[in-house]
Amino acid sequence: MEAVETIIGIDLGTTNSLAATVFEHGPEALRPPGGEAIVPSVLTRREGRWIVGREAREQRTTHPQETVFSVKRLMGRDAQELQAALARLPYRVEAAQRGLVKVHVGEEAFTPQELSAEILREVKRNAEAALGKAVHKAVITVPAYFDDAQRQATRAAGRIAGLEVVRIINEPTAAAIAYGLDERKKGLVAVYDLGGGTFDISILELTGTVFKVLATHGDTELGGDDFDEVIAEEMRRRVREKHPEMVLDDPLSRQLLRKIAELLKIDLSRALDTEYTLELPGKGLDFKDGFNVETLNGLIAPFVDSTLESCRLALAAAGKSTADIDEVVLVGGSTRVPLVRRIVEEFFGKPPNVSINPDEVVAVGAGIQGHLLAGGRRDYVLLDVIPLALGIETLGGTFSKLITANTTVPTQANELFTTYVDNQTGVDFNIFQGEREFVKDCRSLGRFRLKGIPPMPAGLPKVEVTFLVDANGILTVSAIEQRSVMEAQIEVIPSHGLTNDEIDRIMEESFEHALDDLNQRQLVDFRNMAKAVFRGIDKAWKQARSILSEGELAQIRVQMEQVKKATGGEDPVALKAEMDKLGELTRPLADAIMSQAALSELREFFAEHRAGED
Ligand code: AMP
């Protein structure tokens, strides 16, 4: 089957962004006729219109307050989390509603999603010019460590830009796909990504059909910009040696120095030495000098060494050593620096994969993924992630998630549930998908009943529910009552049950309601817990008399009243505090009962209660 529509791949980067797709002759970055594939992720506004890319980047130093860059660092983050980063950014960012931030550009303010959307719009325009047709769908890459909020923000940016984000995939995974490493079926891949402003190392494990991210590490403030800065500083030093009176700290001089430094650095990726000229007619400066690769290496070595420290930490976190790594993939413009290549090769003990342009490799991987999703061919099973959490309804209409969003398939999860009513012989399972805390706000996927459980007191049956999602994204839910070995099963197809529009809407809503939901959810959970505690105490009361003193029993009674009062209120924190006090008072009772093994449901309750406290 040939692709009927084009789903482009987009690398939405901190410094640069671009798109790629698969042509007859193979995958390629999308260049508009006569233009370049790469759009610097920098934007500004003039007379109510956005200027995105190269032109905006040019004025970064001269108009620092109106030029926005590194928006990616703000995506899905609230003002509090961003405090440290914001201090370093020249543009103004302020807290907005629901923990969002807004960036000031002139008189106006925009969310990071809107700003990223403008970058995406520009990339989309480039892609459309290159393809000669409209583009509506894309796969967008994100760093492996991006959490759900950051992924959601990326998805929202796509929507604002008029793109249906068909899939979000991890950048290191995209790079590995670009090199065809997904066809190897097995192995460990290290993806070393050194860009303009960030460094990431990811250790991926390929098992059969999917890449699992075993560990990531990095430095969000390290990259080629640092190389430029130390080179510029060296040039300043040299100028000062000859012209001690010359101060080169104004925006224009800084911009010139950085620009010359970057060009010089790029030259030295191809040659052993080079020359540069600093011309500042306003200051009467016309300075010529040479620069060689040894000087460069000496200046940047500390930065390159610090990336190796991240590599060591990532390997340690993955429980692997360099000898376990089968392939090393280089990503990011700064991996063109020969010293970087040499040090990485020495560290991993093998030459890295470098045949694909390191600026384009992530977009190319995303383009291949988009091509596959559009029905294009490549003879292996698709990588996939679960777009929204999967789970079942539990008491009080709460949504109990078994598998969280963005889990890579195939995957499996199980959890134990029990009955709430004595002699209950059947249990209904309502399966839902969504990101909210209550099932009424989630999408129902199906329901089934586990029948034939022998009559037992509430809390005694142990029903193990298993969610299994296969490589095609098909969910099978099964339940088994462990004491009676009754079993029931249902197959559900979640990813086909939701359109991307629905996912986007749900994602947006979930963001809006997250706080309210959480409170409500906790309240219901704690009320249920309180009921179970009361049941347990009632059942154990007889024994309690022989274990606890009259005074202690009276204290428990008084505290039970306090808990009851709090269950009538609306404050989950207050309720939890009262519950904790009761837990303390009944602890000797629980310990005694635990050792007797008589009232198993109470035992289970306490075990659960304690687990819940972690
Ligand atoms: P990226 O964030 O991946 O787009 O990488 C951008 C960084 O790569 C910038 O710091 C560039 O100066 C740097 N870069 C691009 N090309 C080269 C090159 N040939 N040699 C050294 N650094 C480069």
Side-chain angles (χ1 to χ4, degrees):
M1 187 172 59
E2 264 312 298
V4 287
E5 59 183 336
T6 303
I7 302 177
I8 59 169
I10 298 180
D11 172 4
L12 179 60
T14 310
T15 330
N16 290 312
S17 300
L18 74 156
T21 192
V22 178
F23 293 97
E24 292 269 303
H25 55 271
E28 210 177 272
L30 288 164
R31 289 177 178 73
E36 297 196 43
I38 288 179
V39 175
S41 305
V42 183
L43 62 167
T44 187
R45 220 163 144 74
R46 212 171 289 152
E47 287 155 15
R49 291 192 51 221
W50 287 110
I51 297 166
V52 182
R54 225 155 290 273
E55 194 186 333
R57 191 177 61 179
E58 294 297 306
Q59 63 159 51
R60 198 174 130 176
T61 326
T62 47
H63 298 80
Q65 279 159 356
E66 292 103 66
T67 315
V68 185
F69 59 94
S70 292
V71 178
K72 192 169 173 178
R73 296 185 197 276
L74 312 179
M75 293 285 273
R77 290 275 155 264
D78 66 30
Q80 217 176 357
E81 294 165 305
L82 287 170
Q83 242 165 13
L86 294 189
R88 281 190 298 272
L89 295 175
Y91 48 84
R92 228 173 85 216
V93 181
E94 66 177 30
Q97 75 280 16
R98 298 196 315 274
L100 287 169
V101 293
K102 282 198 167 182
V103 179
H104 281 262
V105 187
E107 303 287 290
E108 300 158 282
F110 302 89
T111 59
Q113 287 90 327
E114 290 169 279
L115 297 168
S116 288
E118 291 308 321
I119 298 167
L120 286 173
R121 247 192 260 277
E122 184 70 16
V123 171
K124 178 174 179 269
R125 265 195 293 271
N126 273 356
E128 288 174 338
L131 290 167
K133 64 173 184 182
V135 170
H136 306 289
K137 296 184 179 184
V139 169
I140 301 183
T141 58
V142 295
Y145 57 78
F146 253 30
D147 65 20
D148 204 50
Q150 293 169 299
R151 285 165 200 259
Q152 281 185 43
T154 306
R155 197 181 271 280
R159 287 258 290 152
I160 299 167
L163 282 167
E164 183 187 319
V165 183
V166 180
R167 191 68 49 91
I168 292 206
I169 64 171
N170 292 326
E171 287 161 12
T173 304
I177 292 173
Y179 276 105
L181 298 180
D182 47 350
E183 291 162 304
R184 289 178 46 134
K185 304 290 180 222
K186 244 175 112 181
L188 279 182
V189 182
V191 181
Y192 179 102
D193 180 350
L194 187 62
T198 57
F199 169 67
D200 293 306
I201 174 79
S202 309
I203 311 295
L204 309 181
E205 183 178 40
L206 176 61
T207 46
T209 53
V210 292
F211 282 105
K212 193 167 154 202
V213 181
L214 293 184
T216 68
H217 203 273
D219 187 336
T220 53
E221 303 290 340
L222 175 72
D225 296 349
D226 295 297
F227 301 174
D228 302 345
E229 199 42 62
V230 285
I231 297 167
E233 194 45 51
E234 170 65 12
M235 294 193 296
R236 254 192 216 105
R237 196 188 60 76
R238 291 180 183 188
V239 170
R240 241 181 287 126
E241 259 179 19
K242 275 205 168 159
H243 311 277
E245 76 294 345
M246 193 76 69
V247 184
L248 297 176
D249 254 356
D250 56 296
L252 199 67
S253 306
R254 284 207 336 248
Q255 182 175 8
L256 179 79
L257 281 168
R258 290 280 298 251
K259 208 164 160 176
I260 302 286
E262 185 178 10
L263 291 173
L264 183 157
K265 170 186 76 176
I266 291 172
D267 266 357
L268 291 178
S269 288
R270 287 185 295 253
L272 294 177
D273 48 49
T274 184
E275 286 181 351
Y276 66 95
T277 307
L278 290 173
E279 263 182 277
L280 279 165
K283 288 181 184 281
L285 179 72
D286 185 1
F287 184 84
K288 271 196 185 60
D289 201 2
F291 215 103
N292 63 29
V293 100
E294 281 98 76
T295 314
L296 173 73
N297 289 354
L299 290 171
I300 65 172
F303 297 113
V304 186
D305 282 343
S306 89
T307 67
L308 295 187
E309 195 44 40
S310 287
C311 293
R312 279 186 204 102
L313 290 168
L315 282 168
K320 305 287 177 190
S321 73
T322 49
D324 299 324
I325 301 295
D326 299 297
E327 297 275 352
V328 182
V329 171
L330 296 189
V331 180
S334 300
T335 60
R336 285 210 187 84
V337 174
L339 179 75
V340 172
R341 290 195 176 178
R342 201 171 72 221
I343 289 188
V344 171
E345 178 167 347
E346 278 167 17
F347 179 79
F348 286 101
K350 55 176 65 71
N353 279 305
V354 292
S355 56
I356 303 177
N357 184 336
D359 301 318
E360 297 179 356
V361 59
V362 168
V364 163
I368 294 173
Q369 184 71 332
H371 178 71
L372 292 170
L373 288 167
R377 281 190 55 182
R378 181 143 162 179
D379 296 323
Y380 65 91
V381 187
L382 276 186
L383 287 156
D384 218 337
V385 292
I386 289 158
L388 294 166
L390 295 164
I392 61 173
E393 178 179 4
T394 42
L395 202 64
T398 57
F399 180 43
S400 208
K401 293 174 187 170
L402 271 89
I403 297 176
T404 52
N406 293 315
T407 305
T408 319
V409 299
T411 184
Q412 181 175 342
N414 13 17
E415 210 164 300
L416 274 183
F417 294 92
T418 188
T419 52
Y420 290 101
V421 183
D422 286 341
N423 302 324
Q424 195 175 329
T425 56
V427 183
D428 282 316
F429 289 98
N430 294 328
I431 303 150
F432 286 87
Q433 181 167 32
E435 290 301 307
R436 299 283 296 275
E437 299 293 337
F438 289 91
V439 294
K440 68 178 168 50
D441 303 313
C442 296
R443 170 93 182 213
S444 169
L445 295 177
R447 59 181 61 210
F448 72 102
R449 192 173 173 79
L450 174 63
K451 288 182 287 200
I453 302 173
M456 281 183 261
L460 211 53
K462 278 187 176 171
V463 182
E464 183 179 36
V465 176
T466 302
F467 274 43
L468 181 86
V469 183
D470 69 14
N472 298 311
I474 297 179
L475 169 69
T476 305
V477 181
S478 59
I480 180 164
E481 200 291 301
Q482 292 182 333
R483 292 174 206 274
S484 60
V485 208
M486 288 306 300
E487 203 171 344
Q489 193 162 322
I490 181 181
E491 190 177 271
V492 193
I493 306 171
S495 44
H496 299 264
L498 284 171
T499 65
N500 281 296
D501 282 357
E502 282 174 307
I503 290 174
D504 287 350
R505 205 188 59 234
I506 296 166
M507 286 289 193
E508 274 162 32
E509 280 174 8
S510 92
F511 197 68
E512 277 170 24
H513 296 290
L515 268 185
D516 286 356
D517 267 11
L518 197 67
N519 262 339
Q520 270 302 314
R521 164 75 197 242
Q522 283 186 331
L523 205 54
V524 172
D525 279 352
F526 293 154
R527 280 177 186 155
N528 287 337
M529 210 191 269
K531 270 190 215 157
V533 176
F534 285 3
R535 263 205 315 268
I537 293 175
D538 277 351
K539 285 194 181 173
W541 199 247
K542 249 198 206 144
Q543 276 169 302
R545 287 181 182 286
S546 60
I547 296 163
L548 302 173
S549 72
E550 271 306 318
E552 285 169 324
L553 291 174
Q555 267 187 318
I556 292 177
R557 278 228 179 78
V558 170
Q559 190 53 35
M560 283 171 79
E561 279 310 310
Q562 290 300 109
V563 172
K564 244 183 228 157
K565 231 192 259 166
T567 54
E570 292 294 321
D571 182 357
V573 180
L575 174 54
K576 177 73 167 62
E578 298 298 347
M579 298 266 297
D580 286 345
K581 280 189 213 157
L582 184 60
E584 270 309 307
L585 293 172
T586 54
R587 185 144 298 172
L589 180 60
D591 289 342
I593 290 170
M594 294 270 237
S595 60
Q596 289 175 17
L599 287 165
S600 63
E601 71 266 49
L602 191 63
R603 195 173 70 232
E604 268 171 29
F605 159 70
F606 278 110
E608 208 175 275
H609 185 46
R610 289 199 172 156
E613 285 173 1
D614 289 342

